[in-house]
Amino acid sequence: MSRFAKTHLGRRDFLRTSAAAGALTLATPGLLRAQSADIHMQTWSAAVDTVQSHLAAFTAKTGLTVDYGNSPYAQYRDAMVTKFVGGAPLDMMWVSDAWLPEWAEAGWIAPIDENETLMAYNAEADDFCTNSMTYGGRQYGLTYYSDYMAFFYDAEKVAAAGFDGPPTTWAEVVEQSLAMKEKGISEHPMMLAMAQESWLIEFISALVFSHGGRFTDEAGASVMTSSPGVQEALQWVVDAVNTHKIISPACVETGELNGLKAFSSGNHAFAMIAKYRLRTLNDPAQSSIAGNVKQAMMPMGPNGSHATVGWMRFHGMSAAAAADATRAANTAKLIEWFGGKADGAYTFQKLLFLDIGAGFGTKPLFQDPDIRAAYDSYGDVDMIQAQQALAQKKDVVTPWFGEWNETNGSAWQSAIIGNTDAAAAVKASSDLWTELKDAY
Amino acid sequence: MTATDIPHTRKRGVWDRIGYEERSALVFLAPVMAVLMAVAVFPILYSFYISLFRIKLTRPNRQPFIWFENYTDLLGDHEFWMSVGRTVTFTVTSVAAIAVISLLIALLLNEQFRGRRFLSTILLIPWAIPYVANALMWKWIYDSGYGALNGVLYQLDFIDKYMVWLGDQDKTLMLIANAFVWKEVPLATILLLVTLKSIPDDLYAAARVDGATVWQRFVHVTLPAMRPGFMLVMIYETMMAIRHFDLFFVLTEGGPGSASHVLSWHIYVETFRNLSFGSGAAMSYVLALATFGLSYFFIRTLGRRM
Amino acid sequence: MDTAIQVSEQSRRDAEGYRRARLRALWVRRMVIFVSAVVLSIYVLAPVVWLVSSSVQTEAEITSVPPHWIPEEPTLQNYRAIFSATEEEEITYENRSGVDPVSGGFIPSTAKSLLPAMGNSFIVACAVVVLNLLVGVPAAYAIAKIRFMARNASVYFILTTRVIPDIALVVPFFLMIKNLGLLDTLSSLIITYLAVTVPFTVFILVQYFEGLPDELDKAARVDGCSRFQALIHVYLPLSLPSLVAVVLFTFLTSWNEFLLALMFTQTEASQTLPILLAAFTSDFTISFSFINAAGVLAIVPPVIVAIVFERYIVSGLTAGAVKG
């Protein structure tokens, strides 16, 4: 009997200890989850200092604390998708126009058009921006910045190669680059960043549009195989890498940031980069070719034009925040502070422009003397506006964009590194588009 | 098992009838069984259930039951089979390299010499390093702009200008395999060393009497005796290589193009980038079954040999 | 007489020749061992030494071509950024840098999360160790020492669960954890890590317990001990080496785990060290030397543990792997 009791005592002890350990395990998150901030804000890591300074002013003004996190733009969508699905605390976040349908359809972000204070800013906003934030008739945020893909050249290298001016067609880009290679000015005169990341679709779109191509028609059906510009654009890149060797074969692992660094350290003569990077490229503190970087119209393909791609990014509100009245109100205040006026002025838009050159979507700022002076100091305002007029919205912005983009990027990369030919790559991408569209 | 173990004051139920040994075993095993049911058996069954639906988290309101469509879709999924092919290449190369390198190191460490202990201690470093840190380290070594690999080759005049490494599709998979091998070799070496030490000295003595050379002794005595150790290394490292994910995530994200788009990366993309949980579950189920099949095959072979 | 001298002369010469051949063989052997040992040391240490060297270089030095193998002006700035990140002053309009992180040499704001992430890794690893011992020790004892009907079946069952690849568990785990509301908690990691550690723990321990004599068990029972007491008072004290091996192995596995943590953690509240490291490597704005410093920080604790407890790890790994 005593032995029996002992057995049971032991077992009970054991069970009790296990239960206690288990309970402790489950209790740890409660102890460690101290989330005190009023608003959770997530952005990609751009202008981090500028954002932080503007946040400090927000907290000083409203008393609301903001938990600010940032992650690289290159993998931003993937990171955010995991956060949304995982229910991470999120109130305000930056959103690219390309992801709007997907995120709205999935119920991750919420429209802000019932907030009259925010909607009032539309009166002074660029229509391109307002349209790009609208999906299914609802508006999902206020503009963070808007820009387009530009073609830059290093004037010194072009002159050294014996040319009077920058190339105007993609064929001339090849011609001038070959001359530079010959003279040893640059081993890979053209910089193109083709790594699989968020920027890739903007580069691909600019190449395609300037070759006169379209991905889809008015109805959203794929015209990639019937619109010759798509395949011509890809073929140009394939030849530039493999035949002419004017683009480094490493372009498939070069992201926008590394491409920018390489161009600004003088390794290349031509580059396709977002227009706002002109500010950085002509800043002696950040670029060794400062002063030599000029913008030219996007070169055109044989059947194309100087067209390029334009885009915008916006401050959006998560559906989780919108569902809670207090959180929604606080988040709206923060969106206004960044995307509207802060203390009666477009402070953030102006700071952002002066610091990193990112374009604003608010018309009154064009009249601001500081901004005009800044533009004149490093850029050619006429050129900037001429190219702006030819910027087209991406035509692949759909709920299935994310999934298609992954495959399209791989298809282009495969063609560039010679695994498939351009026609097969374009066809694969087009087939997937049709499949995803039908499945939707 | 004595009668006194059974408490006579209680009514005899099923519990008492199964005997003290069985009862105490049950109690002792209950926690482990409960844990494994919860974190292994249930998830695997649940995974199968999920794989019968078309679940897309971007469309939370439409998740039809589609029987085995996710599986039949896989048969015609070119990308899937390509990624299986890459996994096979990666696994075969890595395991072969691990077997050879760890054999050489084990032979060295089986000798008596000064500094042997030092060597076997530092050999544990790669094993202890987290895979992500290992990946970070190799990413920096392979860096085409400032990496050590280019630096060494350049200073030794093997190359006259810096080369692209991970960005070159012909090299990517092998470079990742190299990082994998570096980290896995220590464990394989330890396993082989144990086998080496267990070879009886008489075998060598007998061979020596027969006038066998060093090489003959190695081929006819050492290698056959190490078969069990080798099989073990093969099984373990094959399992590790097939499922490996961390290096692919940090080093290349499946690129360039799809040069390092292996099966585990494919499953990750399908599940967490395309948010297709249904087909992602189907793919991981196929992977799990394949792994089961392989281990069964290996264990059968191993069992016969040992 | 002459012939005798000749014979001994001959044998002397033979012995001399043999001695020389032997010396040569010894010398060859020593050279082979020396060269292989040097090659092996370089193979193992060079990558790690290069990482450490890179972590104490300035951004200007680290981007020199060809690389500086030994830093010319070593700096601890990266480590300082990690250990004193919490003391940074508030950024205002006036003191903002005014440049984009793109201009390079950027030390991310997540630098201050490195130490908390290490803390998370530590808590998770400790909890997994404790739970492993709680469920693993009795199970291993039962399998090794109790003759019961389903003994083989239990062994096979545990063996089978070890073969399941972790990536195959990711989808169901994610949905389970989400439905339990445990996403972004340390608990999600502790629970799921049991799947990858428990089978191994049981194998190491079974192997060891089987090596201990059954008579101890019988003697304890005769003295009136229950099964449970026999385990606690008799076997546990004897199996210390294998327990140490289990603790170390489970700890390191949890400390190093990446895939599951990548799925289940979102914020600083639960992110472990590997997650932060991986995020750094994909961010091209971050200073190269800072990333390397973070890498060094992640390597140091497990490497120290491995070197200090080398003996236990080798025996544990051997036992577990041989069984599994």
Side-chain angles (χ1 to χ4, degrees):
Chain A
M1 190 62 214
S2 68
R3 207 178 292 167
F4 173 68
K6 269 183 200 158
T7 319
H8 277 255
L9 191 70
R11 194 166 71 221
R12 270 189 216 114
D13 273 349
F14 175 73
L15 290 176
R16 209 175 295 138
T17 327
S18 318
L24 199 69
T25 315
L26 292 171
T28 41
L31 299 172
L32 288 158
R33 234 191 194 174
Q35 272 146 18
S36 53
D38 299 311
I39 306 172
H40 295 275
M41 169 181 178
Q42 184 72 32
T43 76
W44 49 87
S45 10
V48 172
D49 253 28
T50 316
V51 171
Q52 277 175 335
S53 64
H54 198 56
L55 275 175
F58 177 75
T59 304
K61 169 88 183 167
T62 61
L64 294 169
T65 52
V66 181
D67 172 49
Y68 167 58
N70 58 71
S71 56
Y73 180 66
Q75 291 90 11
Y76 187 74
R77 175 192 169 265
D78 306 328
M80 289 305 281
V81 161
T82 321
K83 282 189 198 299
F84 284 126
V85 172
L90 268 179
D91 298 299
M92 192 261 243
M93 78 291 299
W94 288 354
V95 185
S96 164
D97 51 3
W99 308 319
L100 170 60
E102 181 186 62
W103 294 13
E105 286 289 341
W108 295 332
I109 53 175
I112 51 100
D113 51 10
E114 279 160 13
N115 186 312
E116 283 167 17
T117 323
L118 296 183
M119 291 302 278
Y121 288 104
N122 283 347
E124 292 186 344
D126 227 359
D127 287 343
F128 172 80
C129 293
T130 311
N131 291 338
S132 299
M133 291 182 287
T134 307
Y135 175 72
R138 309 291 305 268
Q139 184 173 333
Y140 280 81
L142 291 185
T143 308
Y144 153 47
Y145 89 100
S146 155
D147 206 359
Y148 62 83
M149 195 55 76
F151 184 82
F152 295 133
Y153 65 101
D154 180 337
E156 205 174 81
K157 291 196 179 71
V158 170
F163 294 95
D164 298 333
T168 57
T169 65
W170 287 111
E172 283 177 31
V173 172
V174 174
E175 188 197 323
Q176 295 201 0
S177 298
L178 289 174
M180 288 175 188
K181 270 179 86 81
E182 187 105 330
K183 293 189 170 139
I185 296 171
S186 166
E187 200 197 341
H188 297 294
M190 174 77 199
M191 196 295 290
L192 199 59
M194 285 277 130
Q196 180 78 274
E197 55 159 35
S198 310
W199 275 108
L200 185 55
I201 188 59
E202 316 287 6
F203 294 125
I204 289 181
S205 296
L207 283 164
V208 166
F209 294 169
S210 61
H211 277 85
R214 301 293 292 169
F215 289 101
T216 62
D217 62 14
E218 293 293 312
S222 165
V223 292
M224 293 172 219
T225 45
S226 56
S227 162
V230 181
Q231 196 184 315
E232 279 172 20
L234 176 53
Q235 192 62 53
W236 184 87
V237 181
V238 171
D239 291 342
V241 172
N242 300 300
T243 313
H244 311 308
K245 305 192 190 305
I246 59 169
I247 297 178
S248 164
C251 68
V252 291
E253 65 157 5
T254 308
E256 190 260 358
L257 279 176
N258 283 347
L260 179 68
K261 278 183 192 171
F263 184 55
S264 69
S265 53
N267 296 351
H268 307 282
F270 308 115
M272 190 195 259
I273 311 185
K275 184 225 45 195
Y276 78 87
R277 298 293 199 196
L278 195 53
R279 160 84 175 76
T280 307
L281 287 168
N282 276 330
D283 177 358
Q286 302 183 67
S287 159
S288 59
I289 53 168
N292 295 330
V293 183
K294 301 268 185 294
Q295 184 183 354
M297 293 298 280
M298 187 62 67
M300 49 183 182
N303 306 308
S305 65
H306 292 303
T308 187
V309 67
W311 64 80
M312 62 88 57
R313 325 280 189 223
F314 60 90
H315 308 284
M317 186 189 292
S318 72
D324 176 316
T326 322
R327 273 173 77 186
N330 289 344
T331 308
K333 272 184 205 157
L334 187 63
I335 290 180
E336 183 183 8
W337 189 259
F338 276 86
K341 286 182 180 172
D343 251 350
Y346 288 116
T347 315
F348 182 67
Q349 293 86 334
K350 189 171 165 180
L351 284 179
L352 195 67
F353 180 81
L354 295 177
D355 284 358
I356 67 164
F360 37 83
T362 38
K363 288 181 273 190
L365 275 186
F366 279 110
Q367 314 307 324
D368 188 293
D370 294 343
I371 283 177
R372 295 194 78 99
Y375 248 147
D376 288 334
S377 73
Y378 61 79
D380 175 350
V381 179
D382 289 342
M383 171 59 75
I384 289 171
Q385 284 175 344
Q387 182 71 79
Q388 173 115 50
L390 295 175
Q392 301 172 4
K393 205 177 151 180
K394 287 185 287 295
D395 58 351
V396 289
V397 177
T398 52
W400 55 88
F401 168 76
E403 198 169 348
W404 172 79
N405 188 38
E406 186 96 23
T407 303
N408 182 56
S410 297
W412 275 58
Q413 287 192 332
S414 293
I416 293 170
I417 57 185
N419 277 349
T420 54
D421 59 43
V426 172
K427 183 170 185 315
S429 177
S430 178
D431 288 350
L432 178 73
W433 180 275
T434 309
E435 188 191 320
L436 291 170
K437 186 173 187 296
D438 291 347
Y440 198 77
Chain B
M1 181 77 2
T2 54
T4 49
D5 283 326
I6 300 163
H8 48 84
T9 50
R10 287 175 85 201
K11 270 197 177 168
R12 311 186 83 200
V14 179
W15 179 247
D16 299 309
R17 244 177 289 142
I18 58 172
Y20 180 74
E21 296 289 86
E22 260 70 28
R23 263 186 293 137
S24 39
L26 203 64
V27 170
F28 284 164
L29 280 169
V32 109
M33 292 300 163
V35 164
L36 290 178
M37 283 289 173
V39 297
V41 178
F42 175 72
I44 271 295
L45 298 177
Y46 185 37
S47 179
F48 181 67
Y49 174 74
I50 297 165
S51 72
L52 303 179
F53 288 83
R54 176 169 291 130
I55 297 185
K56 238 177 131 71
L57 294 193
T58 43
R59 265 169 287 155
N61 302 323
R62 231 170 348 130
Q63 306 184 330
F65 183 76
I66 52 167
W67 286 104
F68 295 99
E69 215 174 285
N70 283 326
Y71 292 92
T72 50
D73 281 353
L74 280 187
L75 293 176
D77 184 347
H78 182 65
E79 259 307 304
F80 174 77
W81 292 108
M82 291 291 285
S83 69
V84 170
R86 285 181 210 107
T87 296
V88 171
T89 311
F90 174 78
T91 306
V92 171
T93 324
S94 310
V95 173
I98 291 171
V100 172
I101 297 175
S102 56
L103 172 65
L104 293 177
I105 302 180
L107 288 173
L108 173 67
L109 294 181
N110 198 35
E111 299 292 318
Q112 290 302 325
F113 60 95
R114 268 216 328 223
R116 195 185 65 86
R117 259 201 71 78
F118 171 74
L119 279 184
S120 43
T121 306
I122 61 166
L123 193 60
L124 279 179
I125 295 178
W127 175 76
I129 289 178
Y131 251 113
V132 173
N134 182 46
L136 174 154
M137 185 176 85
W138 287 98
K139 189 175 192 172
W140 177 233
I141 291 173
Y142 294 150
D143 189 277
S144 51
Y146 314 106
L149 183 58
N150 268 331
V152 169
L153 294 180
Y154 182 79
Q155 287 186 327
L156 296 178
D157 266 341
F158 284 120
I159 52 173
D160 51 9
K161 60 171 194 219
Y162 273 24
M163 311 238 306
V164 173
W165 296 106
L166 286 172
D168 182 338
Q169 59 163 345
D170 300 325
K171 304 193 184 92
T172 307
L173 212 48
M174 292 306 112
L175 292 171
I176 300 176
N178 178 57
F180 180 77
V181 168
W182 185 82
K183 174 145 167 60
E184 292 295 324
V185 153
L187 177 63
T189 305
I190 292 169
L191 296 179
L192 290 183
L193 199 54
V194 172
T195 328
L196 258 183
K197 287 199 192 299
S198 67
I199 303 176
D201 285 339
D202 333 355
L203 281 182
Y204 288 107
R208 218 173 278 139
V209 168
D210 290 348
T213 61
V214 176
W215 176 249
Q216 284 169 331
R217 287 200 302 261
F218 175 69
V219 172
H220 297 293
V221 180
T222 316
L223 278 188
M226 287 184 73
R227 198 180 249 160
F230 265 121
M231 287 307 289
L232 196 62
V233 168
M234 304 293 251
I235 297 179
Y236 182 77
E237 297 301 344
T238 305
M239 297 301 138
M240 293 300 281
I242 285 182
R243 65 177 68 170
H244 193 72
F245 173 78
D246 304 6
L247 283 169
F248 295 97
F249 182 92
V250 174
L251 287 178
T252 58
E253 300 212 4
S258 40
S260 58
H261 195 106
V262 291
L263 185 52
S264 58
W265 178 254
H266 192 65
I267 294 175
Y268 170 76
V269 169
E270 186 69 10
T271 314
F272 285 92
R273 297 216 168 150
N274 297 341
L275 296 180
S276 303
F277 271 48
S279 51
M283 285 175 196
S284 26
Y285 221 79
V286 170
L287 175 66
L289 286 180
T291 320
F292 269 122
L294 262 180
S295 7
Y296 182 72
F297 167 77
F298 273 133
I299 288 167
R300 283 294 297 268
T301 336
L302 179 72
R304 217 176 302 139
R305 293 272 156 80
M306 286 219 304
Chain C
M1 190 67 170
D2 274 6
T3 47
I5 292 168
Q6 271 175 1
V7 169
S8 73
E9 178 68 9
Q10 178 65 37
S11 68
R12 204 185 58 78
R13 231 182 274 148
D14 276 1
E16 177 73 1
Y18 178 75
R19 209 167 59 82
R20 269 204 209 131
R22 223 183 119 66
L23 275 176
R24 204 180 306 126
L26 271 178
W27 187 80
V28 168
R29 178 179 173 277
R30 201 175 291 168
M31 277 318 286
V32 168
I33 285 181
F34 177 74
V35 172
S36 333
V38 169
V39 170
L40 175 61
S41 314
I42 293 175
Y43 176 68
V44 171
L45 290 180
V48 182
V49 171
W50 165 237
L51 184 75
V52 175
S53 162
S54 309
S55 76
V56 294
Q57 300 192 6
T58 60
E59 197 66 4
E61 191 168 8
I62 205 173
T63 52
S64 55
V65 174
H68 293 179
W69 303 110
I70 299 160
E72 279 166 12
E73 19 167 354
T75 164
L76 290 177
Q77 59 177 19
N78 296 309
Y79 295 96
R80 224 173 287 134
I82 293 168
F83 287 102
S84 63
T86 42
E87 300 157 17
E88 69 190 29
E89 59 175 329
E90 193 183 56
I91 296 165
T92 64
Y93 292 137
E94 287 71 36
N95 71 9
R96 71 180 206 276
S97 70
V99 297
D100 201 53
V102 68
S103 53
F106 174 61
I107 293 189
S109 55
T110 34
K112 66 174 188 301
S113 311
L114 257 179
L115 293 181
M118 270 178 121
N120 283 342
S121 289
F122 187 76
I123 295 173
V124 169
C126 289
V128 173
V129 165
V130 170
L131 290 175
N132 258 279
L133 290 178
L134 276 177
V135 304
V137 169
Y141 170 77
I143 290 173
K145 294 294 170 208
I146 304 179
R147 315 266 155 251
F148 60 99
M149 293 180 299
R151 192 159 164 242
N152 276 339
S154 320
V155 174
Y156 283 118
F157 171 71
I158 298 173
L159 187 129
T160 312
T161 57
R162 207 193 142 190
V163 179
I164 303 173
D166 46 3
I167 189 132
L169 293 172
V170 156
V171 173
F173 270 169
F174 185 85
L175 295 175
M176 285 162 68
I177 298 289
K178 185 171 149 73
N179 291 339
L180 290 172
L182 289 178
L183 278 174
D184 201 25
T185 64
L186 295 183
S187 312
S188 65
L189 301 182
I190 296 168
I191 294 168
T192 51
Y193 287 3
L194 290 179
V196 282
T197 50
V198 165
F200 198 78
T201 299
V202 175
F203 280 116
I204 295 179
L205 293 174
V206 164
Q207 176 83 351
Y208 199 88
F209 284 163
E210 274 179 348
L212 297 174
D214 285 350
E215 286 69 30
L216 290 174
D217 199 40
K218 296 213 178 77
R221 302 288 301 287
V222 168
D223 284 350
C225 282
S226 69
R227 280 283 184 196
F228 189 77
Q229 286 165 324
L231 169 59
I232 297 291
H233 299 302
V234 180
Y235 282 104
L236 272 193
L238 287 174
S239 48
L240 199 65
S242 66
L243 291 180
V244 175
V246 164
V247 169
L248 292 175
F249 192 82
T250 316
F251 186 90
L252 288 178
T253 308
S254 313
W255 179 274
N256 298 352
E257 206 285 333
F258 174 65
L259 179 64
L260 298 172
L262 180 69
M263 305 301 154
F264 307 146
T265 65
Q266 307 287 350
T267 67
E268 209 177 293
S270 66
Q271 279 175 336
T272 53
L273 197 52
I275 301 302
L276 237 71
L277 281 191
F280 289 154
T281 62
S282 64
D283 189 341
F284 295 114
T285 55
I286 298 181
S287 144
F288 290 122
S289 58
F290 173 81
I291 295 182
N292 291 321
V296 170
L297 222 59
I299 286 178
V300 168
V303 166
I304 290 180
V305 166
I307 288 177
V308 170
F309 297 98
E310 184 206 346
R311 201 160 50 91
Y312 298 104
I313 288 176
V314 172
S315 65
L317 276 176
T318 321
V322 167
K323 257 294 183 187

